[in-house]
Amino acid sequence: MRFDVPHARVQLPADQLLRLTDALGTRLRGIQGTSWITIDNDPRDLVLEAGEEWVIDARQPVLVTPLKGASTISVCAPARPAPSRRQIVWPWTGQGNTRALAGA
């Protein structure tokens, strides 16, 4: 399943699996039921109950599976980072000016 939206509510029937890739910084929030979360090549396993949330802190794929029947989770993509600030030196004055550069 591929999401191209900043926020999605996903209903996982029993024995269904959701795989998230490139999801660093994505917030998962339990809406209904219980979900089991595991991260590829990571010893941690998490259990997400309704009302709880967790922000993905790994670059590896994340697997979400419902426990004890179906579950529903909210998937929120991370906010876009603010433009970075770089020092610009104006060649004709030799003085610097710091400003936000879009896409930098």
Side-chain angles (χ1 to χ4, degrees), residues 20-62:
L20 301 169
T21 58
D22 298 324
L24 180 67
T26 299
R27 182 183 346 200
L28 303 179
R29 180 173 174 80
I31 303 296
Q32 182 179 357
T34 304
S35 298
W36 175 44
I37 301 170
T38 188
I39 305 159
D40 279 0
N41 300 315
D42 192 307
R44 296 178 292 168
D45 283 342
L46 302 136
V47 175
L48 192 67
E49 299 282 348
E52 296 178 339
E53 58 182 51
W54 177 67
V55 177
I56 297 173
D57 59 359
R59 294 193 182 278
Q60 295 87 350
V62 173

Side-chain angles (χ1 to χ4, degrees), residues 82-84 99-104:
S84 65
R99 70 163 70 166
L101 298 176

